[in-house]
Structure formats: structure tokens, C-alpha cells
Amino acid sequence: MSSPGTQIDPLDGVRVLDLFAGPGGLDVAAHFLGYKSIGIEWDRNACETRYAAGLPTFHADVSVMRRTRFDEIPRSVDVLAGGPPCQSFSVAGRGAGRAALHTVKEFIRRLVSGEDEARIDEDLHSQNVDPRTALVLEPLRWLLKAIETEGRDPYRAIVLEQVPAVLPLWDVYAQLLRSGEGRLGGVKYEADCWELKTEQFGVPQTRTRAVLIARLVGSGSLSRPSTTHRSFDVRRGRSRTGQTAAFSVDYRSADNWVSMAKALDAADVLPGSSVDMSRFRSRGRTKFFVVSNYGSNGDPKKRGRRLSSEPAFTVTGKVSRNKIYRTQLDYEENKFERFTIAESGVLQTFPHNFPWSGNDQAQQVGNAVPPLLGMHVLGHALHGAAPSDAQLADSATWPEVSNDVIARLRDIGCGDRTRCPEDSHKVSRTRRKPAP
């Protein structure tokens, strides 16, 4: 498999367009499946990671790109993918998106029916819809733009993911895509959506996502992606009290799910690994437990706990705040470790040597789509199959990217910075403290 960005023109042969691309979860998945991708990403730090990884990128606002720079998207693109920002829908957020679900459903239908988009934008503003919530409309707007632009074809496949609260919106998407009505101009898709648990696809963490897959009619029937592992019972420890009892029980179960220890140990032994589990290894076995940064059952002081022989908690932008203890004594004495960025990335199923760059790297890791889930979902959307054993083996290590390629991708993504999001390259200066 060739390294990303090795062609003379990095945009040659691009097949997948990743909206709200982040550091590259879906792009990494596409790469290991043998597809080239290009992402649109607003955050400068995530773009720096993408450039370092050799992933073609436009550092731009998705909406602005659609309205004013659509012609820059390679005509070879035939797959639309993306995960709109989840903060307004997430349980961890304030819930503005969840409260606006019914309103957003109506806007989805209005877009397809042919109402003027400027009027729709005015109504979104007048009804005080959170701008992040409105971004869930963007994939549909990109599809309609492709259908209505001369010389462009409808996307062959569409893959969207979000937090579970968005599933009702994906269901409306699916209904309209199957209908081919209004501005879809008779273009019909086989489309469906589901809640998928990441640990059931080999991801060493519990995380549930609402996923939509659509394929043009005639590309084959569509079914729910087949799972490869069992789900993890997140309530398994509520009847026990005290960390001593939790740490003394080993929850390992044959091929039920991939544990933190298994994933991190596998990364540790790879050549040139960025992961070192020796600090948690005793008598040849990696053993620790994690105390979450978040409360549980509505109690902010009641922190969840997971053993190394279990999947991780959902990896969020605050993953670096989780506390890791080697022993019960360490816990009682408050002697803890933290996951490194590389280790956090492995728990998200990024390659151990993925070149995290820029600032806010923990946030980048937490915002990303787990590449392994992406491989299953994209593989199912594109050819109705799970990734092969060879593709899964390749996905453990990221290929090196030359400085020349990185510079070329930065030029494509940012150029002279005049078309980057406003103030995105502004560096805030830390105020110096007066001398004592």
C-alpha cells in the first residue's frame, strides 16, 4: 500500500470527501481500505495533524467551501462521509441540539422540498438554532449541490456518523434518500441507519454512535454491518462496592471484546512503537485500572472505573484527565499516571505512530471517529464487506510521510492563509507575569 500523499498531485484519484474531517478518523479508515480521501476541517490544530499524516485537506469552513469553492473538490470524489460536530447533541453538552430535533427534521424536509436556502438560513437564525446544530444539514446540502451542479454526479455512497441522539435525524435523511423526491430529482438510495457500539467492532472502548449508510439504488442491497465482538455490559459493577473488590476480579472473556491491555500491549511490541506499557507491567502482565474524569449516575463525584482487562470508557477530549492506577495502594495514596497521546490514540484505534501535531491533541483524539469503526462502516458502504485480515494488520502502523509532501499538503490546505477560517491562524500571546 502506498503512503498517503505520495503522488505528484495529492488530489489525483481522490474518492472520499470527509466533511468535518477532524484529525482523520474516516480518512485513516479509507486509506487502509485502499481509497484516497480529502477532508474539510475548520480547526487549525487538526489540520496540522492531517498534514503531518499526509492527508489531503482543505482548511476551511464546510459551509463556505460548499457555497464558494465547490469547484475545487476533485471530480473523482464519489463518496460523501462525515460526522458533524456533536457538542450540541452530546449528553456531555448542554443539549441544545437534542431539544431542537423536531425543528431540524422540518428544516431537512424543507431543504429537499425546494425552499429557498437563503430563507431557510434566515429561519434557522430567527429561531435561534445553535449554529453547530444547523451543521447537521450540511451533508444533505452537499449532496443536493452535487446533484444540481452541471458536470457532477450524485455521490455513489454516503456515510454519516454522530452521537446516538442524532439517530432520528439520520432516519429522516434515510427516508428522503429512499424517496428521491424534490431536489433529489429522482436520485434514489438504499439507505438505513443504526446505533452501533464500537466495542462490537473491535474498538477497545465503549462508545455508541448513530451511523447512516446510503448507496445508490442498483449498487446492491443494504443491511446492518455485521459485528465481530460482543458488547460490554457497562453496568456489570454497580452491585459491588469499593475499588478493592473491582480490582480483584478479572473480567477477561474470550473474544468478547478487546480490552485496553490487549490493545496497548499489541501496540507496545510493534517496531519503533510510541507506546510503552512497561510502567504498568508486573510479572509479565499489564495490569491497571482507570478512574474516569466524569461522574456517573448523575453524581459528579461518583467516578466510573474500568479495569485494564476491560474496554476503555468513551475516549473524549478530556481523556488526558483520566487517572490510571497500577495498584489499590496507589489508588489509596493517589499515585496515578495518565494516558499519553499515543496511548489515547491507540484506544481510538489510530496507529501507534500516528503523527499527532499542533495543540489540543487530547481534544483531537477525542473528537475523532475511531478508524476501526470507520473501516467497518466504509467497507460495508463501498463493497458490502468487513475489512480483511490483511487490512486490519496494516492498520496498526502509519506510513512515513516526507517533509516535501507535508509542505505540499499545507500549501493546498492553507496556501497564503487568506482563505482559511477567519482568525484561525491567530496566535494568542501569554501575558508575562511581573518579576517578583
Side-chain angles (χ1 to χ4, degrees), residues 29 33 35 79 156-159 190-194 196 201 211-216 219-227 372-388 391:
L33 291 174
Y35 292 87
V79 179
R156 169 189 162 205
I158 301 170
V159 171
E190 299 282 354
D192 210 340
C193 53
W194 315 270
L196 302 181
F201 295 89
V211 172
L212 176 141
I213 298 178
R215 286 202 297 253
L216 280 174
S219 302
S221 60
L222 192 63
S223 60
R224 184 187 183 98
S226 298
T227 59
L372 181 53
L373 178 67
M375 290 177 72
H376 280 275
V377 173
L378 275 175
H380 193 73
L382 296 174
H383 44 75
S388 68
Q391 289 169 333

Side-chain angles (χ1 to χ4, degrees), residues 345-395:
V346 167
L347 295 177
Q348 276 281 54
T349 65
F350 277 87
H352 70 93
N353 61 334
F354 195 70
W356 300 102
S357 303
N359 297 323
D360 299 327
Q361 292 180 14
Q363 191 68 51
Q364 292 183 50
V365 174
N367 286 347
V369 177
L372 181 53
L373 178 67
M375 290 177 72
H376 280 275
V377 173
L378 275 175
H380 193 73
L382 296 174
H383 44 75
S388 68
D389 289 344
Q391 289 169 333
L392 292 175
D394 285 342
S395 69

Side-chain angles (χ1 to χ4, degrees), residues 69-109:
R69 301 173 60 188
F70 187 81
D71 61 329
E72 295 180 42
I73 303 299
R75 292 180 182 270
S76 55
V77 166
D78 61 355
V79 179
L80 180 68
C86 69
Q87 290 91 338
S88 67
F89 294 100
S90 172
V91 173
R94 296 184 178 180
R98 299 195 303 277
L101 280 175
H102 178 73
T103 301
V104 178
K105 286 181 183 180
E106 290 306 309
F107 281 113
I108 292 172
R109 294 188 177 97

Side-chain angles (χ1 to χ4, degrees), residues 37-300:
S37 64
I38 187 166
I40 303 174
E41 174 52 41
W42 179 88
D43 180 64
R44 175 176 61 88
N45 293 309
C47 287
E48 285 301 316
T49 292
R50 294 178 61 85
Y51 301 148
L55 298 173
T57 305
F58 289 114
H59 180 201
D61 181 292
V62 165
S63 303
V64 173
M65 194 81 194
R66 169 181 52 82
R67 292 194 302 266
T68 65
R69 301 173 60 188
F70 187 81
D71 61 329
E72 295 180 42
I73 303 299
R75 292 180 182 270
S76 55
V77 166
D78 61 355
V79 179
L80 180 68
C86 69
Q87 290 91 338
S88 67
F89 294 100
S90 172
V91 173
R94 296 184 178 180
R98 299 195 303 277
L101 280 175
H102 178 73
T103 301
V104 178
K105 286 181 183 180
E106 290 306 309
F107 281 113
I108 292 172
R109 294 188 177 97
R110 288 172 61 182
L111 270 174
V112 172
S113 71
E115 281 196 44
D116 181 65
E117 289 202 33
R119 174 62 184 272
I120 290 175
D121 288 335
E122 289 175 6
D123 288 350
L124 283 166
H125 180 72
S126 66
Q127 295 183 32
N128 295 317
V129 175
D130 188 315
R132 297 171 301 177
T133 301
L135 290 175
V136 81
L137 302 173
E138 277 301 319
L140 178 58
R141 287 175 143 164
W142 276 82
L143 170 60
L144 296 174
K145 184 84 170 185
I147 291 173
E148 295 171 349
T149 299
E150 185 176 354
R152 298 279 182 163
D153 295 318
Y155 300 111
R156 169 189 162 205
I158 301 170
V159 171
L160 304 176
E161 69 85 41
Q162 246 280 10
V163 294
V166 178
L167 190 65
L169 300 184
W170 289 165
D171 188 52
V172 175
Y173 260 66
Q175 293 173 29
L176 293 170
L177 291 173
R178 290 192 293 263
S179 75
E181 65 186 42
R183 291 174 64 190
L184 291 169
V187 175
K188 295 184 178 182
Y189 288 82
E190 299 282 354
D192 210 340
C193 53
W194 315 270
E195 281 191 7
L196 302 181
K197 294 183 176 182
T198 57
E199 78 269 22
Q200 291 189 287
F201 295 89
V203 179
Q205 65 168 296
T206 52
R207 184 187 195 108
T208 303
R209 304 300 286 180
V211 172
L212 176 141
I213 298 178
R215 286 202 297 253
L216 280 174
V217 168
S219 302
S221 60
L222 192 63
S223 60
R224 184 187 183 98
S226 298
T227 59
T228 56
H229 296 72
R230 295 182 184 178
S231 62
F232 176 74
D233 183 5
V234 297
R235 298 168 297 179
R236 80 277 175 268
R238 290 184 182 173
S239 62
R240 296 191 305 278
T241 57
Q243 185 61 37
T244 302
F247 194 55
S248 65
V249 178
D250 188 347
Y251 288 97
R252 286 180 297 178
S253 183
D255 298 325
N256 275 357
W257 17 256
V258 177
S259 70
M260 290 182 277
K262 183 176 181 179
L264 293 168
D265 280 345
D268 187 350
V269 300
L270 294 171
S273 179
S274 304
V275 173
D276 182 3
M277 285 288 101
S278 61
R279 68 193 191 280
F280 298 122
R281 196 167 291 133
S282 176
R283 298 179 181 177
R285 181 182 170 194
T286 298
K287 191 173 182 180
F288 58 83
F289 62 88
V290 179
V291 177
S292 173
N293 177 62
Y294 295 99
S296 59
N297 297 329
D299 184 353

